[in-house]
């Protein structure tokens, strides 16, 4: 300012001159046409639901000199900024949410500038309504008091709600939820709440009603969509009581009791009545209308009923009183009333418990003696019991029951009124057992049924039992198993049987006896039950090792039971092995064993198992023996007679062996025997005849018998054929050729010769040249050394001799050379003594047969063995 004051006039004039020379015109806005979005925003209106960020207008103007212009928006101090503008383009954007209900006009200063001059204008922007407000109830909460006698269709309350929106969005209509479930209606325009037509309110049934009212606006646009808003509120309607209901008794029905010790003037019971109008109840007045008969009175205010006489003066057991309850209004008038019946019983006092009586008065113990197992249903007549209760009515009713072991006895009667004779009946005869219980003890209990005191009393019942013979002796086992050695002497104990009889006295004494086919060698002690052998008895396991019989236990009354006894006689090693007599001489072919056999007559293993051994041999180291089977073989290196001749100078090749047979018993027994073995070498050609000859070397009589039998069969066949030819020729009277006869007449099957006892086979080893199968019915041992003659079946037709068969396998069945077998010959068979010269004859026969077979082998080209 100080500088301005010092400006010279010449300077000021210079400035004015410059301004006039360079004059500048201010910019201006274009006019804002109708519904135009370009100009100065003078006629702009926006809906309040316009989204923030929306481009709502474009400021537009110009400068007369054509200079570029800029735009700006400003607000008055304290005003909210709703818009922003692009200074160069003039684009106006909404930056704050609009709310018509808070501000329906917005003042904005718009300006345009060319850099030198600025033109500003104040414009008003109108905010248009959108339906964004919900109705609101005013003056809530709504509580309405309505007397219960208000007529139907009456208006009881006016509900009011407002909506800040304009137009249809600000218009409100009313309605009720659950319109069919409540007793009220509402005017949809005014909001007046009324009672439904034909409906009345009742305080006694429902004192409060809750009505839900809905206020809904008319709807309108909001952000492009049509929206309808609503609000709800609850109206509480309290029904006021009005005197329109009579009184009522509570706690009915009424029962009272007067006991024998009740004093006169005592209260019996109290009746209670209430005014039916609970909101403003009146007081109640009580009185007895009838039924008292001067014995009872009632308090007019409290309703207490009292007896005015002593119980012994009351003539009836039951009194029926009619009581009246009346309402007294505030003015003192009697209006409504009601009646109730009161039943009063005069009852006896329960002061006597049940009591048991015997023949001589009160008694609490009763005793009886009886035999066990009485018949079921029998009455114990020895018990004289009476029970009594001196009270009256229900106080004299009680139950009877027995306390103790259940199911044995039953008491009759089970329910008693005042007095009864007590009867005890047998229910389970089997349980009344002297062996189980000598004395049975019970409690007889009498207890009241329907009294609160439950008085009771008891009496002891003692029953002493007497024994009867009701049990059978019973063995400790159904069978007894015993073992005794066969060498036990006579009178040895075998086993002790035990039986018991629980009966007492003589009925419990038991006597034992035995019987049965196996009891001959045994005795039993009649009292102790010990079984022993007869003094003369000799047990032999080889004769009989099993005995069984029955043992009987019997009481003095004849009741008995049985058990079975099984006795096994144990074998003792009391027999020595015994050799077969035929083992004294054996013929051994080199390469084949001979067998000895000894039999031990003991009954069981290992006493009868025999082991064999060579005790002495001359020379030694020539023979081996199988310990189990008794087969004697030459040592493996001895394969010919030449080797034997090198060992000994004895050219006869007959050696003696001392063999032993020893059993496996304890102690062990043994037997020795001298065995002579004649060793020969197999030189004959294999065939059935050679085998047969070797087989019968030691028994020439058998060979003669077989030869005689064959000859006899041939003679018989010849005779039969001749006879048949004779009779045929005699019938035909002419001689037919033999060929034709044989061709026309076939031999019947029944006439075929049966020579199964003689079969020719090739043996599997060198020792068997002939195999003869003998009839098993006519032979007694495997050694084939029997002297019994074979009786052949008479043949009916001859058979051609079979061709030589190939040697069968080693396991093929057939008769062996008799020296191989070790079976024993019965002892009664006496072996004939061996004659001198027999060996030389035998050797000559073998040598001749050997020469013939060698010639035959040479003819057929077979190798010599």
């Amino acid at each position: 300012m100080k500088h301005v004051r010092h400006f010279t006039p010449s300077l000021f004039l210079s400035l004015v001159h410059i301004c006039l020379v360079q004059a500048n015109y201010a910019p201006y806005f274009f006019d804002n046409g109708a519904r135009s979005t370009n100009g100065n925003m003078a006629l702009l209106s926006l809906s309040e639901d316009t989204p923030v960020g929306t481009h709502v207008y474009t400021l537009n103007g110009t400068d007369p000199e054509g200079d570029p212009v800029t735009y700006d928006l400003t607000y008055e101090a304290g005003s909210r900024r709703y818009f922003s503008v692009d200074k160069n383009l003039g684009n106006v954007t909404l930056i704050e949410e609009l709310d018509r209900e808070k501000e329906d006009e917005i003042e904005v200063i718009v300006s345009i500038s060319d850099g030198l001059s600025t033109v500003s204008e104040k414009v008003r922007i109108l905010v248009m309504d959108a339906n964004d407000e919900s109705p609101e109830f005013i003056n809530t909460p709504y509580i309405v008091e309505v007397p219960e006698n208000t007529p139907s269709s009456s208006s009881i309350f006016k509900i009011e709600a407002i909506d800040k929106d304009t137009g249809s969005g600000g218009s409100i209509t009313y309605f009720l939820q659950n319109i069919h479930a409540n007793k009220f209606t509402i005017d949809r325009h005014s909001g007046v709440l009324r009672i439904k037509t034909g409906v009345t309110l009742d305080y006694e049934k429902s004192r409060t009603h809750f009505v839900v009212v809905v206020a809904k606006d008319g709807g309108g646009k909001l952000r492009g969509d049509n929206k309808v808003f609503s609000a709800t509120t609850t109206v509480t309607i309290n029904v006021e009581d009005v005197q329109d209901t009579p009184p009522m008794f509570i706690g009915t029905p009424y029962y009272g009791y007067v006991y024998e010790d009740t004093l006169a003037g005592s209260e019996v019971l109290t009746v209670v009545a209430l005014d039916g109008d609970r909101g403003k109840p009146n007081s109640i007045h009580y009185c007895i209308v009838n039924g008292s008969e001067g014995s009872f009175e009632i308090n007019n205010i409290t309703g207490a009923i009292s007896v005015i006489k002593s119980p012994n003066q009351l003539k009836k057991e039951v009194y029926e009183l009619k009581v009246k309850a009346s309402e007294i209004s505030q003015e003192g008038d009697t209006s409504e009333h009601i009646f109730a019946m009161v039943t009063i019983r005069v009852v006896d006092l329960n002061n006597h418990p049940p009591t048991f009586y015997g023949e001589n008065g009160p008694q609490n113990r009763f005793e009886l003696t009886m035999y066990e197992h009485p018949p079921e249903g029998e009455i114990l007549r020895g018990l004289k019991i009476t029970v009594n209760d001196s009270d009256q009515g229900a106080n004299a009713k009680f139950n009877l029951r027995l306390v103790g072991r259940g199911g044995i006895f039953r008491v009759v009667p089970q329910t008693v009124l005042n007095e009864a004779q007590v009867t005890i009946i047998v229910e389970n005869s089997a349980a009344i057992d002297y062996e189980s219980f000598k004395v049975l003890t019970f409690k007889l209990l009498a207890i009241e049924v329907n009294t609160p005191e439950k008085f009771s009393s008891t009496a002891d019942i003692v029953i002493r039992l007497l024994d009867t013979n009701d049990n059978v002796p019973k063995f400790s086992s159904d069978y007894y198993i015993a073992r005794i050695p066969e060498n036990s002497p006579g009178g040895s104990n075998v086993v002790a049987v035990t039986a018991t009889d629980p009966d007492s006295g003589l009925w419990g004494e038991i006597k034992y006896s035995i019987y049965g086919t196996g009891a001959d060698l045994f005795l039993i002690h009649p009292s102790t039950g010990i079984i022993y052998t007869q003094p003369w008895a000799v047990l032999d396991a080889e004769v009989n090792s099993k005995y069984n019989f029955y043992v009987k236990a019997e009481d003095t009354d004849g009741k008995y039971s049985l058990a079975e006894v099984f006795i096994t006689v144990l074998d003792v090693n009391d027999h020595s092995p015994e050799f077969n007599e035929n083992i004294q001489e054996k013929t051994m072919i080199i390469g084949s064993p001979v067998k000895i056999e000894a039999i031990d007559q003991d009954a069981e293993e290992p006493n009868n198992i025999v082991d064999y051994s060579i005790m002495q041999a001359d020379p030694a180291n020539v023979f081996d023996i199988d310990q189990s089977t008794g087969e004697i073989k030459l040592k493996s290196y001895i394969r010919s007679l030449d080797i034997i001749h090198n060992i000994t100078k004895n050219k006869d090749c007959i050696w003696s062996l001392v063999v032993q047979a020893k059993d496996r018993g304890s102690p062990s027994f043994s037997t020795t025997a001298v065995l002579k073995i004649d060793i020969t070498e197999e030189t004959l050609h294999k065939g059935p005849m050679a085998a047969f000859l070797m087989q019968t070397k030691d028994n020439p009589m058998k060979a003669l018998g077989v030869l005689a039998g064959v000859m006899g069969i041939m003679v018989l066949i010849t005779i039969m054929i001749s006879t048949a030819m004779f009779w045929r020729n005699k019938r035909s009277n002419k001689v037919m050729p033999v060929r034709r006869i044989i061709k026309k007449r076939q031999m019947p099957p029944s006439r075929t010769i049966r020579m199964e006892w003689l079969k020719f086979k090739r043996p599997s080893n060198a020792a068997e040249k002939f195999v003869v199968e003998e009839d098993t019915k006519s032979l007694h041992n495997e050694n084939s050394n029997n002297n019994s003659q074979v009786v052949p079946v008479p043949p009916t037709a001859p058979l051609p001799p079979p061709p030589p068969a190939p040697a069968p396998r080693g396991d093929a069945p057939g008769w062996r050379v008799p020296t191989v077998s070790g079976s024993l010959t019965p002892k009664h068979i006496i072996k004939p003594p061996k004659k001198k010269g027999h060996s030389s004859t035998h050797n000559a026969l073998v040598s001749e047969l050997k020469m013939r077979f060698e010639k035959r082998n040479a003819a057929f080209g077979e190798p010599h063995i």
Side-chain angles (χ1 to χ4, degrees), residues 74 130 167 203 228 234 243 268 277 294 314 339 430 550 558 660 705 722 725:
T74 59
Y203 175 84
V228 178
T234 301
Q243 285 294 330
V268 179
D277 303 307
L314 300 178
F339 298 97
Y550 289 94
Q660 181 188 59
S722 300
M725 296 286 292

Side-chain angles (χ1 to χ4, degrees), residues 668-744:
S668 177
F669 293 100
S670 63
T671 302
T672 58
V674 177
L675 173 64
K676 293 183 178 181
I677 297 179
D678 182 8
I679 300 177
T680 64
E681 186 175 20
E682 182 182 16
T683 56
L684 295 178
H685 182 73
K686 294 183 178 178
M689 184 60 68
F692 176 76
L693 291 176
M694 294 301 300
Q695 210 173 25
T696 57
K697 174 184 176 183
D698 297 331
N699 192 358
M701 295 303 296
K702 182 176 181 180
L704 292 177
V706 170
L707 181 61
V710 171
M711 293 177 63
I713 291 173
M714 297 300 294
V715 171
L716 182 61
I717 291 173
T718 303
I719 294 172
M720 292 178 65
I721 293 175
S722 300
T723 304
M725 296 286 292
F726 174 77
W727 285 108
R728 180 180 180 81
N729 294 333
K730 186 176 181 180
R731 289 180 183 179
S732 61
N733 294 323
K734 60 181 179 179
V735 177
M736 301 296 294
V738 174
R739 182 180 300 174
R740 187 174 183 180
I741 292 173
I742 297 174
K743 184 176 181 180
K744 290 185 67 177

Side-chain angles (χ1 to χ4, degrees), residues 465-509:
L465 298 180
L466 300 177
D467 192 22
T468 61
N469 188 21
D470 59 331
N471 292 283
V472 176
K474 186 176 181 180
F475 281 98
S476 59
S477 177
D478 293 333
Y479 55 88
Y480 296 88
I481 299 175
R483 295 175 178 83
I484 183 172
E486 64 178 341
N487 59 354
S488 299
S492 299
N493 291 344
V494 179
V495 65
V497 298
T498 304
T500 57
D501 191 330
D503 291 321
S504 62
L506 296 176
W507 290 324
E509 294 183 2

Side-chain angles (χ1 to χ4, degrees), residues 790-801:
V790 178
V791 182
V793 178
T796 57
L799 290 178

Side-chain angles (χ1 to χ4, degrees), residues 296-498:
F296 302 92
E297 63 180 8
I298 191 170
N299 187 306
N300 295 332
I301 299 175
T302 62
I305 300 175
S306 303
V307 61
I308 58 177
K309 292 182 180 179
S310 61
N312 56 5
Q313 294 176 332
L314 300 178
K315 299 179 180 180
K316 298 170 63 177
E317 288 189 7
V318 179
Y319 289 85
E320 298 285 345
L321 307 182
K322 186 176 183 181
V323 178
K324 177 182 178 182
S326 304
E327 289 186 20
I328 305 300
S329 64
Q330 295 180 357
E331 292 78 13
D333 299 330
T334 302
S335 56
E336 302 290 340
H337 61 271
I338 192 174
F339 298 97
M341 297 302 296
V342 178
T343 302
I344 299 178
R345 292 183 177 273
V346 180
V347 296
D348 175 55
L349 184 65
N350 185 27
N351 53 5
H352 295 90
T355 305
F356 292 100
Y357 295 89
E359 294 180 344
N360 300 320
Q363 188 174 336
N364 59 5
R365 181 181 176 88
F366 298 88
E367 296 186 5
L368 175 67
T369 300
M370 58 182 290
Y371 283 101
E372 62 176 337
H373 304 302
E376 293 185 0
E378 180 175 307
I379 298 173
L380 305 187
R381 304 186 183 278
L383 296 176
K384 306 293 184 180
I385 306 173
T386 303
V387 63
N388 175 270
D389 192 325
S390 301
D391 291 319
Q392 300 297 320
N395 292 334
K397 186 178 181 180
F398 55 93
N399 288 337
L400 286 175
R401 68 171 181 263
L402 281 175
V403 180
R405 296 181 180 87
I408 299 178
F409 296 102
R410 176 167 53 92
V411 63
V412 176
Q414 295 184 352
T415 302
V416 180
L417 184 63
N418 291 116
E419 183 175 307
Q421 285 290 127
V422 179
T423 301
I424 297 178
I425 302 174
V426 176
E427 195 170 40
N428 185 357
S429 176
I432 307 174
D433 188 9
Y434 175 85
E435 286 72 32
S436 301
F437 312 101
K438 303 295 188 294
V439 178
L440 293 174
T441 303
F442 298 90
K443 290 280 187 182
L444 182 59
L445 173 64
I447 183 170
E448 292 177 349
V449 179
N450 297 321
T451 63
E453 296 82 8
K454 298 291 183 182
F455 288 144
S456 64
S457 61
T458 59
D460 294 326
I461 308 296
V462 179
I463 300 175
R464 305 184 187 280
L465 298 180
L466 300 177
D467 192 22
T468 61
N469 188 21
D470 59 331
N471 292 283
V472 176
K474 186 176 181 180
F475 281 98
S476 59
S477 177
D478 293 333
Y479 55 88
Y480 296 88
I481 299 175
R483 295 175 178 83
I484 183 172
E486 64 178 341
N487 59 354
S488 299
S492 299
N493 291 344
V494 179
V495 65
V497 298
T498 304

Side-chain angles (χ1 to χ4, degrees), residues 10 113 145 195 380 393 603 661 841:
S10 59
S113 174
E145 303 290 337
I195 301 174
L380 305 187
T841 304

